[in-house]
Amino acid sequence: MARFTEASLTHLHDAIDIVDAITHYIDVRKVGAGYVALCPFHDDKTPSLHINHTKGLYHCFACGASGDTIRFVMEYERLSFYEAVQKLAAMFNIPLAYEQKHIEQKKSDLLRLLALFYHNKLFKHEDILQYLATRSINEDSIREFEIGYSGTSYDTLRFLDEQKLSRTEAIEYGVLTQGNDKAYARFAHRIIFPIHSSTGVVVGFGGRTLSTEKNIAKYLNSPQSKVFNKSKILYGYHLAKQMIYKQKSIIVCEGYLDVIMLHQAGFKNAVATLGTALNEGHLLLLNKDNPRIYMCYDGDNAGINAALKAAKFLSQHNKDGGVVILENGLDPADMVAQNKIQHFQELLTNALPFIEFVLQRIIMDFDLQNPMQKQLALQKCQEYLHTLTPFLQDEYKQKCALLLQISPTHLTTKQQKNKDLQTIHSPNANMNFAEESILYNIIANKEYLYFALNFLDQQHFQTYHQEFQLICNEDYDNDRIYALQFKAKAKLLSYDEFKNQLRLFLLQYAKDALPKIATSSLDSTLKLQQIQTLRQQIEHLQAGELVAVSV
């Protein structure tokens, strides 16, 4: 995997007008020789963000945020360096150059153009607009979320052909489906909700039918494809991420309309899962800025069960937040439509912490008046608590005992996962953890990956060499990558922390390599040269310098 050339980045920096770029995101006004704006990185009341048009830099005199155009896009959109560069290049139509061995793949416009086609088509169907109005969805929300209408199967086929878009590619993306030697539109006579990646690129669709026929699914999503993986996407995240960053909180719902209506009511940090339970794939988004997570599900049995699974999953991954269960079968969209916005805010404020919610739901299945049932409830509660860190087990002992109406002495604390304790004491534990930490971070941040590739290759990984190669090939959907993300105990590191982690990893690798070379069957002259080179590299690494190590 190649990096952008220095010349390419310099050209991008010189070609982009920072005022034009920032104006794309916020209102900017000229004052004297410079430009000012309300800073988007804190709750700014008076314009604190100053932009130097000549130098191509910005600085906030209130919160200290500063940088160039790329840094602004990274911070505002919560993007990696690589993603921000690509976003700016596309925005200003500037070609990018890459280092050798990189073949740039042209990105298809098929899904984006189709989303625009469906969106424009919606305004020609008064009956669909009327239905959306009955759900209290206003025109601003329709435009913001690019809601559309698919019309007939023939309408989609004709549009693809008129625009000279590939039917083969449309089948690959799940827009079309093949049957009886004919192609059909997957979405016909449905309200269309375009699904975007975290960077705002259309990657799939959700469709809702208005038909009352029992054999027709109410909601239909795009199938898995090379660009769409529902287990790694949160609907509305591309619109919500800036508010998530500012408020340090995120509301996770179940449906498209929930997200749309909450945004319409001012809860612009709302997102939704796409018909799947929260999983490891979602953690990459939920780990960004580490927001407090509010699970807001329907109050029916399905909603409560989904909330229970989510609360267990999130608490076991040390996530802070709580569960909101809506009463009387309402969902968030209903709350907004019925103008119960203040009540919804109160429910968020009083959300039940994940661990407490799980304990309550476990205990509800048992009759605490029956000693045998109470003992089983205690057993189930302990089984759950033992999946948490020892600290959290201690913290929730008293609460669990109170719920069970027993003495806290009946609850014991257990070290988390004995197999992990064995790993910690094994000779390769530190290197295994270092490998996990580096891989975990380069998955989460491509800027880290491109930096690390200056120093790393497959030989440096003993346990995860296959995973490293998969990441280099951008094969993030591979089961090995999912498994790594699931079991890794690593945390997201700052850029300086990551550089230091990489240096220590290479230092340990070099130290481990010395005795192997000394006892190898290499020619004595070559062996001596390699040992001298390796010792020099160790000296540089010990002195705090980051250098490549090759054996």
Side-chain angles (χ1 to χ4, degrees):
M1 183 179 297
R3 302 166 62 204
F4 303 117
T5 62
E6 289 298 324
S8 176
L9 290 175
T10 300
H11 174 63
L12 180 75
H13 186 274
D14 293 343
I16 290 175
D17 185 316
I18 189 170
V19 175
D20 288 345
I22 293 180
T23 302
H24 181 81
Y25 295 98
I26 59 176
D27 292 329
V28 174
R29 61 186 176 89
K30 197 172 191 314
V31 175
Y35 296 82
V36 298
L38 290 174
C39 178
F41 305 120
H42 76 282
D43 188 16
D44 203 7
K45 303 300 183 186
T46 57
S48 303
L49 189 77
H50 290 247
I51 305 166
N52 188 313
H53 182 262
T54 306
K55 294 183 178 180
L57 299 172
Y58 69 90
H59 177 75
C60 177
F61 286 93
C63 72
S66 62
D68 60 6
T69 314
I70 296 173
R71 173 57 59 183
F72 183 90
V73 175
M74 287 175 66
E75 292 298 321
Y76 191 93
E77 293 236 41
R78 315 308 296 153
L79 301 179
S80 69
F81 174 81
Y82 182 84
E83 291 167 333
V85 168
Q86 288 196 317
K87 181 100 177 183
L88 282 166
M91 189 186 301
F92 290 92
N93 197 27
I94 297 172
L96 293 170
Y98 299 83
E99 292 182 351
Q100 292 180 350
K101 298 182 181 179
H102 178 86
I103 300 175
E104 186 176 11
Q105 294 182 344
K106 187 178 184 304
K107 293 187 177 180
S108 169
D109 276 342
L110 188 148
L111 293 174
R112 181 183 65 82
L113 292 173
L114 196 56
L116 183 60
F117 169 69
Y118 289 151
H119 181 60
N120 290 333
K121 193 174 187 62
L122 172 68
F123 293 99
K124 299 175 184 177
H125 288 265
E126 192 60 39
D127 56 330
I128 307 301
L129 288 170
Q130 185 58 41
Y131 167 77
L132 293 174
T134 63
R135 297 300 303 266
S136 300
I137 298 175
N138 62 33
E139 187 172 331
D140 287 343
S141 293
I142 290 173
R143 295 189 184 279
E144 183 180 22
F145 285 88
E146 302 170 9
I147 302 172
Y149 181 67
S150 58
T152 66
S153 176
Y154 175 72
D155 289 339
T156 297
L157 291 167
R158 183 176 62 183
F159 172 77
L160 293 172
D161 293 342
E162 287 176 351
Q163 298 296 315
K164 295 182 171 52
L165 297 170
S166 168
R167 286 196 178 192
T168 300
E169 188 178 27
I171 291 172
E172 183 181 352
Y173 289 145
V175 171
L176 300 182
T177 184
Q178 199 82 20
N180 298 324
D181 297 325
K182 291 183 179 180
Y184 302 90
R186 176 178 294 273
F187 301 99
H189 303 293
R190 287 179 180 268
I191 298 172
I192 298 296
F193 302 93
I195 300 168
H196 298 77
S197 69
S198 61
T199 58
V201 177
V202 179
V203 294
F205 300 104
R208 188 199 193 285
T209 184
L210 298 183
S211 172
T212 56
E213 293 184 29
K214 292 184 178 180
N215 61 332
I216 297 179
K218 185 176 179 181
Y219 281 98
L220 187 65
N221 280 338
S222 292
Q224 299 282 99
S225 72
K226 66 181 182 181
V227 298
F228 180 69
N229 183 344
K230 65 182 180 180
S231 295
K232 298 170 72 173
I233 295 173
L234 293 170
Y235 177 73
Y237 184 85
H238 68 297
L239 297 174
K241 60 187 178 183
Q242 184 61 25
M243 193 57 69
I244 293 168
Y245 166 69
K246 289 181 73 172
Q247 295 186 351
K248 302 300 181 189
S249 66
I250 183 172
I251 303 170
V252 182
C253 310
E254 292 185 279
Y256 305 113
L257 294 181
D258 294 330
V259 173
I260 293 166
M261 292 299 289
L262 284 176
H263 276 246
Q264 191 171 294
F267 299 94
K268 294 188 177 293
N269 58 336
V271 300
T273 51
L274 296 171
T276 183
L278 275 178
N279 58 69
E280 294 75 24
H282 296 124
L283 283 179
L284 287 179
L285 296 179
L286 296 176
N287 282 336
K288 287 187 177 182
D289 305 311
N290 203 26
R292 180 172 171 80
I293 303 165
Y294 294 97
M295 301 303 305
C296 188
Y297 286 175
D298 301 352
D300 56 16
N301 287 334
I304 291 172
N305 288 333
L308 180 59
K309 289 179 181 178
K312 283 183 178 179
F313 173 78
L314 292 169
S315 61
Q316 288 162 351
H317 284 82
N318 296 315
K319 293 299 170 190
D320 183 28
V323 177
V324 175
I325 297 296
L326 303 181
E327 310 130 341
N328 304 321
L330 296 178
D331 57 31
D334 296 327
M335 296 284 286
V336 175
Q338 296 177 20
N339 201 29
K340 296 182 178 180
I341 298 170
Q342 183 59 41
H343 181 46
F344 181 79
Q345 179 61 65
E346 291 169 0
L347 290 172
L348 285 179
T349 302
N350 297 303
L352 200 60
F354 293 138
I355 298 174
E356 188 172 343
F357 174 77
V358 174
L359 291 173
Q360 283 191 10
R361 299 310 304 184
I362 290 173
I363 292 170
M364 283 179 64
D365 289 336
F366 298 91
D367 177 9
L368 298 188
Q369 301 305 312
N370 183 324
M372 298 301 291
Q373 287 277 302
K374 182 180 285 192
Q375 181 172 270
L376 287 173
L378 171 61
Q379 180 182 332
K380 290 294 182 182
C381 287
Q382 287 244 115
E383 286 175 2
Y384 163 64
L385 288 174
H386 288 167
T387 66
L388 309 178
T389 63
F391 174 78
L392 288 176
Q393 291 177 51
D394 276 336
E395 284 293 297
Y396 277 90
K397 260 188 188 181
Q398 193 72 37
K399 173 62 71 174
C400 185
L402 187 63
L403 292 170
L404 287 167
Q405 302 167 36
I406 61 174
S407 167
T409 58
H410 292 295
L411 287 109
T412 59
T413 301
K414 182 180 179 182
Q415 289 295 319
Q416 194 178 15
K417 296 184 180 179
N418 290 333
K419 63 179 181 181
D420 291 341
L421 291 174
Q422 293 169 6
T423 301
I424 290 172
H425 293 97
S426 68
N428 296 321
N430 289 337
M431 286 300 282
N432 284 348
F433 178 80
E435 288 186 18
E436 287 181 5
S437 179
I438 289 169
L439 293 178
Y440 187 81
N441 277 273
I442 64 178
I443 289 171
N445 192 324
K446 285 191 176 179
E447 182 184 2
Y448 290 8
L449 171 61
Y450 296 131
F451 176 78
L453 287 177
N454 290 305
F455 307 96
L456 295 177
D457 60 35
Q458 205 168 5
Q459 69 167 325
H460 294 106
F461 294 86
Q462 297 180 21
T463 305
Y464 296 105
H465 57 279
Q466 288 180 284
E467 286 81 353
F468 177 76
Q469 192 58 51
L470 289 167
I471 294 168
C472 291
N473 294 336
E474 293 192 282
D475 189 3
Y476 297 111
D477 293 333
N478 190 282
D479 288 342
R480 282 183 172 272
I481 301 301
Y482 280 129
L484 171 64
Q485 291 172 288
F486 177 75
K487 68 181 181 181
K489 304 300 178 188
K491 65 175 184 177
L492 292 176
L493 303 174
S494 69
Y495 188 66
D496 288 338
E497 288 173 334
F498 177 74
K499 284 173 63 178
N500 192 51
Q501 172 87 73
L502 187 58
R503 180 184 66 83
L504 294 174
F505 174 69
L506 290 170
L507 176 60
Q508 188 60 51
Y509 176 84
K511 287 181 176 179
D512 291 343
L514 264 180
K516 294 178 182 177
I517 294 175
T519 57
S520 69
S521 57
L522 288 172
D523 174 84
S524 59
T525 303
L526 181 59
K527 184 185 296 187
L528 183 60
Q529 289 176 345
Q530 288 199 4
I531 289 174
Q532 288 175 339
T533 300
L534 203 54
R535 282 175 175 166
Q536 290 174 353
Q537 291 168 345
I538 289 173
E539 287 178 7
H540 286 295
L541 290 164
Q542 286 176 327
E545 184 182 347
L546 193 52
V547 296
V549 177
S550 180
V551 178

